[in-house]
Each structure stands twice: as C-alpha cells, then as structure tokens.
Amino acid sequence: MAYLEMRGITKTFPGGVLANSNVDLSVEQGEIHALVGENGAGKSTLMKILYGMEHPDAGTIKLNGQPVHIASPQTAIQLGIGMVHQHFQLIPSLTVAENVALGYEPQRGLLVDEAAMRERVAQLSETFGLRADPSARVADLSVGIQQRVEILKLLYRDAKLLILDEPTAVLTPQEVDDLFAVLRRLVGEGRTAIFITHKLYEVMNICQRATVLRRGQVAGDVNVAESSAAELAHMMVGREVQASFLPEEVPEQTEERLVVRALDVADERGLPALKQISFTLFAGEILGIAGVEGNGQHELIETLIGNRKAAAGDILLNGQALTNLSVRERRTRGMAIIPEDRNREGLSKNMLIWENLVADSYHQPSASRQGFLRIGSIRRTAQQLIRQYDIRTPSENVEVGTLSGGNAQKIIIARELEHTPAILIAAQPTRGLDIGAARFVHEQMIALRAAGVGVLLISADLDELLALSDRIAVLFEGRILKTFGHKAFTRELVGMTMAGKTESENAQ
C-alpha cells in the first residue's frame, strides 16, 4: 500500500485551460519522489491540490490508505503535509524563530513563550543540520538560509510529507549539496518528499522514483536507477532533447556594446552595494555574471536598466551615455531586458497576452496612431509572436496569470526580441523553467550572439553560465573579484571564486 495515492485527478481553470487530466500519482513512504515535466504540464497544480490550495474537479486522495478531503493548507498541515514554495513565504522583518513558529507559537499564559520558541527552533536546526540562528532577522539572511527556514517551518509542524517546489532554483552548488544532505537525513528517519524540479541531473542524484507529466497527463512513472536523464527528457517533451551548445568561435571583441566604468551603487539602506564595478560587453558575446545571490547582482540589474540611480560611475551603450536616462530612453537606444522576477517586474498577470506583448511599444507608430491604440494590428502581431515563440495558449485574449512559468517567460522574450536589440540584459532568464523551455531561452541568446548582439547573462545557475558564457565575471561583496577569459573557467574555479577565494587561495 502506497503512503500517498492520488487517483484520477482532473482540474480545469477558467478559459478552458486543462491543468490536470485523470492524473495518478503514487508515492511510497521514505522515498524522495521526483515530479517532473515541462512548464504547463500540471506539476504545480497537482501539488497545490495536495496542499489544499486548489480543489480538483474530479479524483480522490488517500493518505496511509485512508481517503482524505484536503479543503485548505490548514487541513494539509493537520494531515502532516507541508510545502516549500518556489517563492518563499517568509516575513522579512521577523526573526527565524518567529517565522518558523508563526501561528503555532508556544504560550505562557496570554503571552508567547519566546524562550521556548527559540529553543525548539534551535533544537530542530541542530537535529536536522539546518543551520539557522533563531534570533536572526530573515531579511538579513542569504537565500540558502531562508530556504532552510522554510523547511524548519514544516518540521516544526511535524510534517511527514514534504513537497519541495523547485528547491534548488536559487541555490549555489554548495547549498544544493547541503540541501540534498538534509533531504537524505529526513527520509532516512521515515519522512517522505516530493521533489519538483526541472534539473534532471538532480533527479538522478537524489530521487528514487519519478513521475513525468506532459500536457496535464502522466507520461511515465519510472525507477530512477533503471532510467536516464535522456529518457526522462524524452518523456517530458515527447521527443529527443539535445542540450544547447555555444559555438566555439571566439568573438573578435572589437565593437564595444556596453561599457560600465567605476560604478558605485547603494542599496535600500544607503549602504554600498556595488563598489567600483567596471566591465565591457562586446558585440556578439555572452558575458556571464556569477555570484551568490545578495552580492550586488540585483543592484547591478536595476542600475543598468534605469530603476536605480548610481552614486558614481558611467554606463555607455554604443558609446552613448545612459547614466541619467529613463528606462524608456534606454530601451529606445537598444536595450532589451529579461527581468529577474517575471511576475513582479516583467508582466501584468491580470492583463491579457496581447496587452503584455505591447507593454513597451504601445507608443510606437505600429501600435498607435494619434494617441489611439491600433488594436487590430496589435492583436495580429501578438498572434504571430505566439506562433513564432510557441506560446501555449488558446488565444492572445488569455490572462497571463493563467499561464505556466515557461509560457509567461516566452511572452517576455517575444516582446523584448521582436525588434533586434543592441544588448540584452538577461537576469535569471531560465529560473523555474523546464528543460524544453530553458533550451528555448538558451537558443534565443545564442542566436542573438550570432547576430552581433551583446548578451549580459546574470544567473544563479552556475551550469547555465558555464554552458553559455564566452567570459564570466564573478561578483563578490559588491566587487568583481575576477573575470575569466574566453572559456578559461571550470565549475570548481568559478564556484570557489563565488565563495570569495582568490586564485592563490583556490590553488591551496
């Protein structure tokens, strides 16, 4: 008898979007079970149903052989089910202990017993190797530590079944290793985990079984030890998937596209976030920016695109100064942007696809005339872009918020690349995307490189940087610690530099 059984799960959203169609999922106790598939395959919807955030139109759920009705996340928690979301649900101004115990605080009379709360969190942290100071404020923690806090929340509530949605999307290689060690310890003590990921090498590394979804249906259920990453990829997309490879020719590096000189930038608290940053992005190259998140990447992106003022320094695009120009003026001069948070900065989820596609060009003659939008022309362009970029949607009149992450990202790419830019600033362009959607994004960047566009790739995915970059600059504590020349880098060398070690220290 399986620990968890979901049978015949079907869920349709408004607009006719079929997220799950007669899906079966069986998970054994004490295993790490992978749930994989392209964006839009129905993984997150299935897990939201299990966690009580969505309700199925049809189907049944059994836990330990007993039928259960999961009406809400509170019901799921009572049943021993916990979920770590891809976008953490923490309150930055509260401490680790306050976040972990929120809603379940120990009482001393009418007051919260803060000492007991901190002691319990410290005990869990020590027991499961989830190092986190109970008194530290969450806003001051790295992304990796914040994820530990999310897992501690589940353990504090004594969750037996842990759902982890893209848990490694924002972690460094070292943090991924730490997470895997924690998961192995948890399942070794009888807990069970469902691991949603797009990184198939992680499935092969950490999971015992895998269920593959494709377009809302189960495409396969395999023992990982008897399968391969290639077989899983084939089941995910219905065809053989080849990795994207950067052509080996070396860019001439004669035409400067983007020049950044001695850039100083402050963070929200007025403290130095970037210190004397200088680099050059050439035509026809991909320059990768590596670094553990929180070392100035966010401030660099905001300053380059015009959302943050520099305290000092210069930014030039094709030899023209950008430092004091608005976001629109920078775009007009040839800057395209894939923002790091597509939901908050790249799209309006309550607006339609065609409205999002014209968001940065509605003032252009092709989209408006004498102050009025040319709706027919805009919608025809939207239909053409939907076909060109394979955006999975019934029509251009669908709200963006109903689409999968991969299809939402394709909308941003279609909008940004409709008119070939001089440079593309690609910030975390494949975060949360499946193997097929990520390959699509990579191919677009490689094609831009071949067309002479300069691509600045800022990514927390070291494998992505190593695969696509001509050069890699490593940010550490607001400074470029080292820039590696054309392919003169390895995973180990870049990873150690991200940790702040110089070349001489790396050699020791």
Short mmCIF file of all heavy atoms in Angstrom, two decimals, residues 371-431:
data_model
loop_
_atom_site.label_atom_id
_atom_site.label_comp_id
_atom_site.label_asym_id
_atom_site.label_seq_id
_atom_site.Cartn_x
_atom_site.Cartn_y
_atom_site.Cartn_z
N GLY A 371 -2.62 58.90 -30.80
CA GLY A 371 -2.98 58.67 -29.41
C GLY A 371 -3.93 57.51 -29.17
O GLY A 371 -4.29 57.23 -28.02
N PHE A 372 -4.35 56.79 -30.23
CA PHE A 372 -5.25 55.66 -30.08
C PHE A 372 -4.54 54.37 -30.47
O PHE A 372 -3.83 54.32 -31.48
CB PHE A 372 -6.50 55.85 -30.96
CG PHE A 372 -7.38 56.99 -30.53
CD1 PHE A 372 -7.22 58.25 -31.09
CD2 PHE A 372 -8.34 56.81 -29.55
CE1 PHE A 372 -8.02 59.31 -30.69
CE2 PHE A 372 -9.15 57.86 -29.15
CZ PHE A 372 -8.98 59.12 -29.70
N LEU A 373 -4.76 53.33 -29.66
CA LEU A 373 -4.14 52.04 -29.96
C LEU A 373 -4.77 51.42 -31.21
O LEU A 373 -5.98 51.47 -31.41
CB LEU A 373 -4.32 51.07 -28.78
CG LEU A 373 -3.54 51.37 -27.50
CD1 LEU A 373 -3.87 50.35 -26.43
CD2 LEU A 373 -2.04 51.39 -27.76
N ARG A 374 -3.91 50.82 -32.03
CA ARG A 374 -4.37 50.10 -33.22
C ARG A 374 -4.58 48.63 -32.81
O ARG A 374 -3.71 47.77 -33.03
CB ARG A 374 -3.35 50.23 -34.34
CG ARG A 374 -3.07 51.68 -34.73
CD ARG A 374 -1.93 51.78 -35.72
NE ARG A 374 -2.25 51.09 -36.98
CZ ARG A 374 -1.38 50.90 -37.96
NH1 ARG A 374 -0.12 51.35 -37.83
NH2 ARG A 374 -1.73 50.28 -39.07
N ILE A 375 -5.72 48.36 -32.20
CA ILE A 375 -5.97 47.07 -31.57
C ILE A 375 -5.83 45.92 -32.56
O ILE A 375 -5.23 44.88 -32.27
CB ILE A 375 -7.36 47.03 -30.91
CG1 ILE A 375 -7.49 48.16 -29.87
CG2 ILE A 375 -7.60 45.67 -30.25
CD1 ILE A 375 -6.54 48.05 -28.72
N GLY A 376 -6.38 46.08 -33.74
CA GLY A 376 -6.31 45.01 -34.74
C GLY A 376 -4.89 44.66 -35.10
O GLY A 376 -4.50 43.49 -35.16
N SER A 377 -4.07 45.69 -35.35
CA SER A 377 -2.67 45.47 -35.70
C SER A 377 -1.91 44.82 -34.55
O SER A 377 -1.11 43.90 -34.75
CB SER A 377 -2.02 46.80 -36.08
OG SER A 377 -0.63 46.64 -36.28
N ILE A 378 -2.18 45.28 -33.33
CA ILE A 378 -1.50 44.75 -32.14
C ILE A 378 -1.85 43.27 -31.97
O ILE A 378 -0.97 42.43 -31.71
CB ILE A 378 -1.90 45.54 -30.88
CG1 ILE A 378 -1.33 46.97 -30.95
CG2 ILE A 378 -1.40 44.83 -29.62
CD1 ILE A 378 -1.88 47.88 -29.87
N ARG A 379 -3.10 42.91 -32.14
CA ARG A 379 -3.52 41.53 -31.94
C ARG A 379 -2.97 40.62 -33.03
O ARG A 379 -2.60 39.47 -32.76
CB ARG A 379 -5.04 41.45 -31.87
CG ARG A 379 -5.59 42.03 -30.56
CD ARG A 379 -7.09 41.95 -30.48
NE ARG A 379 -7.57 40.58 -30.53
CZ ARG A 379 -8.86 40.24 -30.42
NH1 ARG A 379 -9.78 41.18 -30.26
NH2 ARG A 379 -9.23 38.98 -30.49
N ARG A 380 -2.88 41.12 -34.26
CA ARG A 380 -2.28 40.32 -35.33
C ARG A 380 -0.81 40.06 -35.05
O ARG A 380 -0.31 38.94 -35.25
CB ARG A 380 -2.46 41.02 -36.69
CG ARG A 380 -3.87 40.89 -37.26
CD ARG A 380 -3.92 41.36 -38.70
NE ARG A 380 -3.61 42.78 -38.83
CZ ARG A 380 -4.51 43.75 -38.73
NH1 ARG A 380 -5.79 43.46 -38.47
NH2 ARG A 380 -4.16 45.01 -38.90
N THR A 381 -0.11 41.09 -34.56
CA THR A 381 1.30 40.92 -34.17
C THR A 381 1.42 39.92 -33.03
O THR A 381 2.31 39.06 -33.03
CB THR A 381 1.92 42.27 -33.76
OG1 THR A 381 1.85 43.17 -34.86
CG2 THR A 381 3.36 42.09 -33.33
N ALA A 382 0.50 40.01 -32.07
CA ALA A 382 0.52 39.08 -30.93
C ALA A 382 0.32 37.64 -31.40
O ALA A 382 1.01 36.72 -30.95
CB ALA A 382 -0.55 39.47 -29.92
N GLN A 383 -0.60 37.43 -32.32
CA GLN A 383 -0.84 36.09 -32.85
C GLN A 383 0.40 35.54 -33.54
O GLN A 383 0.74 34.36 -33.40
CB GLN A 383 -2.03 36.13 -33.81
CG GLN A 383 -3.37 36.40 -33.13
CD GLN A 383 -4.46 36.78 -34.11
OE1 GLN A 383 -4.25 36.78 -35.32
NE2 GLN A 383 -5.63 37.13 -33.59
N GLN A 384 1.08 36.42 -34.29
CA GLN A 384 2.30 35.99 -34.99
C GLN A 384 3.39 35.62 -34.00
O GLN A 384 4.09 34.62 -34.17
CB GLN A 384 2.77 37.11 -35.94
CG GLN A 384 3.97 36.75 -36.80
CD GLN A 384 5.28 37.18 -36.17
OE1 GLN A 384 5.35 38.23 -35.55
NE2 GLN A 384 6.31 36.38 -36.34
N LEU A 385 3.54 36.41 -32.92
CA LEU A 385 4.57 36.13 -31.92
C LEU A 385 4.24 34.86 -31.13
O LEU A 385 5.14 34.09 -30.77
CB LEU A 385 4.70 37.32 -30.96
CG LEU A 385 5.32 38.59 -31.55
CD1 LEU A 385 5.23 39.75 -30.56
CD2 LEU A 385 6.77 38.36 -31.96
N ILE A 386 2.96 34.61 -30.88
CA ILE A 386 2.54 33.39 -30.19
C ILE A 386 2.95 32.16 -31.00
O ILE A 386 3.47 31.18 -30.46
CB ILE A 386 1.02 33.41 -29.94
CG1 ILE A 386 0.69 34.40 -28.81
CG2 ILE A 386 0.51 32.01 -29.58
CD1 ILE A 386 -0.78 34.68 -28.66
N ARG A 387 2.77 32.23 -32.32
CA ARG A 387 3.19 31.12 -33.18
C ARG A 387 4.71 31.01 -33.23
O ARG A 387 5.28 29.91 -33.12
CB ARG A 387 2.63 31.32 -34.60
CG ARG A 387 1.12 31.14 -34.71
CD ARG A 387 0.69 31.07 -36.17
NE ARG A 387 1.00 32.31 -36.87
CZ ARG A 387 0.17 33.36 -36.95
NH1 ARG A 387 -1.03 33.30 -36.37
NH2 ARG A 387 0.51 34.44 -37.63
N GLN A 388 5.39 32.16 -33.40
CA GLN A 388 6.84 32.15 -33.56
C GLN A 388 7.55 31.62 -32.33
O GLN A 388 8.55 30.88 -32.45
CB GLN A 388 7.33 33.58 -33.87
CG GLN A 388 8.83 33.71 -34.07
CD GLN A 388 9.24 35.15 -34.37
OE1 GLN A 388 8.40 35.98 -34.72
NE2 GLN A 388 10.52 35.44 -34.22
N TYR A 389 7.05 31.96 -31.15
CA TYR A 389 7.72 31.58 -29.91
C TYR A 389 7.03 30.40 -29.20
O TYR A 389 7.36 30.08 -28.07
CB TYR A 389 7.81 32.78 -28.96
CG TYR A 389 8.82 33.81 -29.44
CD1 TYR A 389 8.43 34.84 -30.29
CD2 TYR A 389 10.15 33.73 -29.09
CE1 TYR A 389 9.35 35.78 -30.76
CE2 TYR A 389 11.08 34.65 -29.53
CZ TYR A 389 10.67 35.67 -30.37
OH TYR A 389 11.59 36.60 -30.83
N ASP A 390 6.09 29.77 -29.90
CA ASP A 390 5.42 28.57 -29.39
C ASP A 390 4.87 28.79 -27.98
O ASP A 390 5.11 28.01 -27.05
CB ASP A 390 6.38 27.38 -29.40
CG ASP A 390 5.66 26.06 -29.11
OD1 ASP A 390 4.46 25.96 -29.40
OD2 ASP A 390 6.31 25.14 -28.56
N ILE A 391 4.11 29.87 -27.81
CA ILE A 391 3.47 30.17 -26.53
C ILE A 391 2.19 29.34 -26.45
O ILE A 391 1.29 29.49 -27.27
CB ILE A 391 3.17 31.68 -26.40
CG1 ILE A 391 4.49 32.47 -26.47
CG2 ILE A 391 2.45 31.97 -25.09
CD1 ILE A 391 4.29 33.97 -26.62
N ARG A 392 2.12 28.44 -25.47
CA ARG A 392 0.99 27.51 -25.37
C ARG A 392 -0.21 28.23 -24.75
O ARG A 392 -0.28 28.41 -23.53
CB ARG A 392 1.38 26.31 -24.52
CG ARG A 392 2.68 25.63 -24.98
CD ARG A 392 2.43 24.55 -26.00
NE ARG A 392 3.69 23.99 -26.47
CZ ARG A 392 4.33 22.98 -25.89
NH1 ARG A 392 3.83 22.44 -24.79
NH2 ARG A 392 5.46 22.50 -26.40
N THR A 393 -1.14 28.64 -25.58
CA THR A 393 -2.31 29.36 -25.12
C THR A 393 -3.42 29.22 -26.16
O THR A 393 -3.13 29.12 -27.36
CB THR A 393 -2.00 30.86 -24.91
OG1 THR A 393 -3.21 31.56 -24.58
CG2 THR A 393 -1.41 31.48 -26.17
N PRO A 394 -4.69 29.20 -25.73
CA PRO A 394 -5.79 29.13 -26.70
C PRO A 394 -5.85 30.34 -27.62
O PRO A 394 -6.21 30.21 -28.78
CB PRO A 394 -7.05 29.04 -25.82
CG PRO A 394 -6.56 28.55 -24.50
CD PRO A 394 -5.17 29.09 -24.34
N SER A 395 -5.50 31.53 -27.09
CA SER A 395 -5.54 32.74 -27.91
C SER A 395 -4.77 33.85 -27.22
O SER A 395 -4.31 33.70 -26.08
CB SER A 395 -6.98 33.20 -28.15
OG SER A 395 -7.48 33.86 -26.99
N GLU A 396 -4.67 34.99 -27.90
CA GLU A 396 -3.98 36.15 -27.33
C GLU A 396 -4.83 36.87 -26.29
O GLU A 396 -4.37 37.80 -25.64
CB GLU A 396 -3.58 37.13 -28.44
CG GLU A 396 -4.71 37.96 -29.04
CD GLU A 396 -5.50 37.21 -30.11
OE1 GLU A 396 -5.29 35.98 -30.27
OE2 GLU A 396 -6.33 37.85 -30.78
N ASN A 397 -6.08 36.42 -26.11
CA ASN A 397 -7.00 37.08 -25.18
C ASN A 397 -7.03 36.41 -23.81
O ASN A 397 -7.94 36.67 -23.02
CB ASN A 397 -8.42 37.10 -25.77
CG ASN A 397 -8.54 38.08 -26.92
OD1 ASN A 397 -8.05 39.20 -26.82
ND2 ASN A 397 -9.15 37.67 -28.01
N VAL A 398 -6.06 35.57 -23.52
CA VAL A 398 -5.98 34.88 -22.23
C VAL A 398 -5.18 35.72 -21.24
O VAL A 398 -4.18 36.35 -21.61
CB VAL A 398 -5.32 33.49 -22.40
CG1 VAL A 398 -5.03 32.85 -21.06
CG2 VAL A 398 -6.23 32.60 -23.24
N GLU A 399 -5.61 35.76 -19.98
CA GLU A 399 -4.84 36.48 -18.95
C GLU A 399 -3.51 35.77 -18.72
O GLU A 399 -3.46 34.54 -18.62
CB GLU A 399 -5.62 36.53 -17.63
CG GLU A 399 -6.78 37.52 -17.65
CD GLU A 399 -7.39 37.71 -16.27
OE1 GLU A 399 -6.83 37.17 -15.28
OE2 GLU A 399 -8.43 38.38 -16.17
N VAL A 400 -2.45 36.55 -18.61
CA VAL A 400 -1.11 35.98 -18.42
C VAL A 400 -1.02 35.18 -17.14
O VAL A 400 -0.29 34.18 -17.06
CB VAL A 400 -0.06 37.12 -18.45
CG1 VAL A 400 1.27 36.64 -17.91
CG2 VAL A 400 0.11 37.64 -19.87
N GLY A 401 -1.77 35.57 -16.11
CA GLY A 401 -1.71 34.89 -14.83
C GLY A 401 -2.16 33.45 -14.88
O GLY A 401 -1.89 32.68 -13.95
N THR A 402 -2.85 33.04 -15.96
CA THR A 402 -3.30 31.65 -16.07
C THR A 402 -2.27 30.76 -16.75
O THR A 402 -2.47 29.55 -16.83
CB THR A 402 -4.62 31.57 -16.87
OG1 THR A 402 -4.38 31.97 -18.23
CG2 THR A 402 -5.69 32.46 -16.26
N LEU A 403 -1.18 31.34 -17.26
CA LEU A 403 -0.18 30.58 -18.00
C LEU A 403 0.87 29.99 -17.08
O LEU A 403 1.09 30.47 -15.96
CB LEU A 403 0.51 31.48 -19.04
CG LEU A 403 -0.38 32.13 -20.10
CD1 LEU A 403 0.46 33.00 -21.02
CD2 LEU A 403 -1.12 31.08 -20.91
N SER A 404 1.57 28.97 -17.57
CA SER A 404 2.70 28.41 -16.83
C SER A 404 3.87 29.39 -16.85
O SER A 404 3.90 30.34 -17.64
CB SER A 404 3.14 27.10 -17.49
OG SER A 404 3.71 27.36 -18.76
N GLY A 405 4.86 29.12 -15.99
CA GLY A 405 6.03 30.00 -15.92
C GLY A 405 6.79 30.07 -17.23
O GLY A 405 7.26 31.13 -17.64
N GLY A 406 6.92 28.91 -17.90
CA GLY A 406 7.65 28.88 -19.17
C GLY A 406 6.97 29.69 -20.24
O GLY A 406 7.62 30.44 -20.99
N ASN A 407 5.65 29.57 -20.34
CA ASN A 407 4.92 30.34 -21.35
C ASN A 407 4.91 31.82 -21.01
O ASN A 407 4.97 32.67 -21.90
CB ASN A 407 3.50 29.79 -21.48
CG ASN A 407 3.47 28.50 -22.25
OD1 ASN A 407 3.98 28.41 -23.35
ND2 ASN A 407 2.89 27.47 -21.66
N ALA A 408 4.85 32.15 -19.73
CA ALA A 408 4.93 33.55 -19.33
C ALA A 408 6.29 34.13 -19.71
O ALA A 408 6.39 35.26 -20.21
CB ALA A 408 4.71 33.68 -17.82
N GLN A 409 7.36 33.34 -19.50
CA GLN A 409 8.71 33.81 -19.86
C GLN A 409 8.83 34.00 -21.36
O GLN A 409 9.49 34.93 -21.83
CB GLN A 409 9.76 32.83 -19.34
CG GLN A 409 11.19 33.33 -19.44
CD GLN A 409 11.53 34.32 -18.34
OE1 GLN A 409 10.69 35.09 -17.88
NE2 GLN A 409 12.78 34.34 -17.92
N LYS A 410 8.18 33.15 -22.14
CA LYS A 410 8.23 33.28 -23.60
C LYS A 410 7.57 34.59 -24.05
O LYS A 410 7.99 35.19 -25.05
CB LYS A 410 7.53 32.09 -24.26
CG LYS A 410 8.34 30.80 -24.23
CD LYS A 410 7.59 29.68 -24.93
CE LYS A 410 8.39 28.39 -24.93
NZ LYS A 410 7.67 27.30 -25.64
N ILE A 411 6.56 35.03 -23.32
CA ILE A 411 5.92 36.31 -23.65
C ILE A 411 6.92 37.45 -23.49
O ILE A 411 7.03 38.35 -24.34
CB ILE A 411 4.68 36.55 -22.77
CG1 ILE A 411 3.58 35.56 -23.15
CG2 ILE A 411 4.18 37.99 -22.88
CD1 ILE A 411 2.39 35.58 -22.23
N ILE A 412 7.68 37.42 -22.40
CA ILE A 412 8.70 38.46 -22.19
C ILE A 412 9.74 38.42 -23.30
O ILE A 412 10.12 39.46 -23.86
CB ILE A 412 9.37 38.27 -20.81
CG1 ILE A 412 8.35 38.51 -19.69
CG2 ILE A 412 10.57 39.22 -20.66
CD1 ILE A 412 8.88 38.22 -18.31
N ILE A 413 10.22 37.23 -23.64
CA ILE A 413 11.25 37.10 -24.67
C ILE A 413 10.73 37.58 -26.01
O ILE A 413 11.41 38.30 -26.74
CB ILE A 413 11.74 35.64 -24.74
CG1 ILE A 413 12.49 35.29 -23.46
CG2 ILE A 413 12.63 35.42 -25.96
CD1 ILE A 413 12.80 33.83 -23.31
N ALA A 414 9.50 37.19 -26.35
CA ALA A 414 8.90 37.63 -27.62
C ALA A 414 8.82 39.15 -27.68
O ALA A 414 9.14 39.77 -28.70
CB ALA A 414 7.52 37.01 -27.78
N ARG A 415 8.40 39.76 -26.59
CA ARG A 415 8.28 41.23 -26.54
C ARG A 415 9.64 41.90 -26.66
O ARG A 415 9.80 42.88 -27.40
CB ARG A 415 7.61 41.63 -25.22
CG ARG A 415 7.38 43.13 -25.07
CD ARG A 415 6.80 43.44 -23.71
NE ARG A 415 7.74 43.14 -22.64
CZ ARG A 415 7.39 42.76 -21.41
NH1 ARG A 415 6.12 42.59 -21.11
NH2 ARG A 415 8.31 42.54 -20.50
N GLU A 416 10.63 41.36 -25.96
CA GLU A 416 11.94 42.02 -25.92
C GLU A 416 12.72 41.84 -27.22
O GLU A 416 13.53 42.70 -27.58
CB GLU A 416 12.75 41.47 -24.75
CG GLU A 416 12.14 41.76 -23.38
CD GLU A 416 11.96 43.24 -23.12
OE1 GLU A 416 12.90 44.01 -23.36
OE2 GLU A 416 10.85 43.63 -22.68
N LEU A 417 12.50 40.73 -27.91
CA LEU A 417 13.31 40.43 -29.09
C LEU A 417 12.59 40.70 -30.40
O LEU A 417 13.15 40.47 -31.47
CB LEU A 417 13.77 38.96 -29.06
CG LEU A 417 14.53 38.51 -27.82
CD1 LEU A 417 15.08 37.11 -28.02
CD2 LEU A 417 15.64 39.48 -27.45
N GLU A 418 11.36 41.22 -30.32
CA GLU A 418 10.61 41.49 -31.54
C GLU A 418 11.40 42.43 -32.46
O GLU A 418 11.43 42.25 -33.68
CB GLU A 418 9.24 42.09 -31.22
CG GLU A 418 8.41 42.36 -32.46
CD GLU A 418 7.12 43.10 -32.15
OE1 GLU A 418 6.88 43.42 -30.97
OE2 GLU A 418 6.37 43.37 -33.10
N HIS A 419 12.04 43.44 -31.87
CA HIS A 419 12.93 44.32 -32.62
C HIS A 419 14.35 44.04 -32.10
O HIS A 419 14.65 44.29 -30.94
CB HIS A 419 12.56 45.79 -32.39
CG HIS A 419 11.11 46.07 -32.67
ND1 HIS A 419 10.58 46.05 -33.93
CD2 HIS A 419 10.08 46.34 -31.83
CE1 HIS A 419 9.28 46.32 -33.87
NE2 HIS A 419 8.96 46.49 -32.61
N THR A 420 15.21 43.51 -32.94
CA THR A 420 16.54 43.07 -32.51
C THR A 420 17.26 44.18 -31.76
O THR A 420 17.51 45.25 -32.31
CB THR A 420 17.39 42.63 -33.72
OG1 THR A 420 16.68 41.62 -34.43
CG2 THR A 420 18.73 42.08 -33.25
N PRO A 421 17.61 43.94 -30.49
CA PRO A 421 18.25 44.99 -29.68
C PRO A 421 19.76 45.04 -29.92
O PRO A 421 20.34 44.18 -30.59
CB PRO A 421 17.95 44.53 -28.26
CG PRO A 421 17.92 43.04 -28.36
CD PRO A 421 17.36 42.72 -29.72
N ALA A 422 20.40 46.06 -29.35
CA ALA A 422 21.86 46.14 -29.36
C ALA A 422 22.44 45.26 -28.26
O ALA A 422 23.45 44.59 -28.45
CB ALA A 422 22.31 47.58 -29.17
N ILE A 423 21.78 45.28 -27.09
CA ILE A 423 22.19 44.41 -25.99
C ILE A 423 20.94 43.81 -25.33
O ILE A 423 19.86 44.40 -25.37
CB ILE A 423 23.03 45.14 -24.91
CG1 ILE A 423 22.19 46.19 -24.18
CG2 ILE A 423 24.29 45.73 -25.50
CD1 ILE A 423 22.83 46.72 -22.92
N LEU A 424 21.12 42.64 -24.74
CA LEU A 424 20.08 42.02 -23.93
C LEU A 424 20.64 41.81 -22.54
O LEU A 424 21.69 41.19 -22.38
CB LEU A 424 19.65 40.68 -24.52
CG LEU A 424 18.73 39.83 -23.62
CD1 LEU A 424 17.36 40.50 -23.47
CD2 LEU A 424 18.57 38.41 -24.17
N ILE A 425 19.94 42.35 -21.54
CA ILE A 425 20.28 42.06 -20.15
C ILE A 425 19.33 40.95 -19.70
O ILE A 425 18.13 41.16 -19.55
CB ILE A 425 20.13 43.30 -19.27
CG1 ILE A 425 21.13 44.37 -19.73
CG2 ILE A 425 20.34 42.96 -17.80
CD1 ILE A 425 20.98 45.70 -19.04
N ALA A 426 19.87 39.76 -19.55
CA ALA A 426 19.08 38.57 -19.21
C ALA A 426 19.34 38.21 -17.76
O ALA A 426 20.39 37.67 -17.42
CB ALA A 426 19.44 37.41 -20.14
N ALA A 427 18.38 38.53 -16.88
CA ALA A 427 18.54 38.28 -15.45
C ALA A 427 17.74 37.05 -15.05
O ALA A 427 16.51 37.03 -15.17
CB ALA A 427 18.05 39.50 -14.67
N GLN A 428 18.43 36.02 -14.62
CA GLN A 428 17.81 34.74 -14.23
C GLN A 428 16.81 34.30 -15.30
O GLN A 428 15.65 34.01 -14.99
CB GLN A 428 17.11 34.89 -12.87
CG GLN A 428 17.85 35.66 -11.82
CD GLN A 428 19.17 35.01 -11.40
OE1 GLN A 428 19.44 33.89 -11.75
NE2 GLN A 428 19.97 35.72 -10.65
N PRO A 429 17.21 34.20 -16.57
CA PRO A 429 16.24 34.01 -17.65
C PRO A 429 15.55 32.66 -17.67
O PRO A 429 14.48 32.53 -18.28
CB PRO A 429 17.09 34.19 -18.92
CG PRO A 429 18.47 33.80 -18.50
CD PRO A 429 18.60 34.28 -17.08
N THR A 430 16.13 31.65 -17.01
CA THR A 430 15.50 30.32 -17.03
C THR A 430 15.09 29.86 -15.64
O THR A 430 14.80 28.68 -15.45
CB THR A 430 16.46 29.28 -17.64
OG1 THR A 430 17.66 29.21 -16.86
CG2 THR A 430 16.81 29.63 -19.07
N ARG A 431 15.04 30.77 -14.69
CA ARG A 431 14.66 30.38 -13.33
C ARG A 431 13.26 29.77 -13.34
O ARG A 431 12.29 30.36 -13.80
CB ARG A 431 14.70 31.58 -12.39
CG ARG A 431 14.18 31.28 -10.97
CD ARG A 431 14.42 32.43 -10.03
NE ARG A 431 15.83 32.52 -9.68
CZ ARG A 431 16.35 33.53 -8.99
NH1 ARG A 431 15.60 34.56 -8.63
NH2 ARG A 431 17.64 33.54 -8.70
#
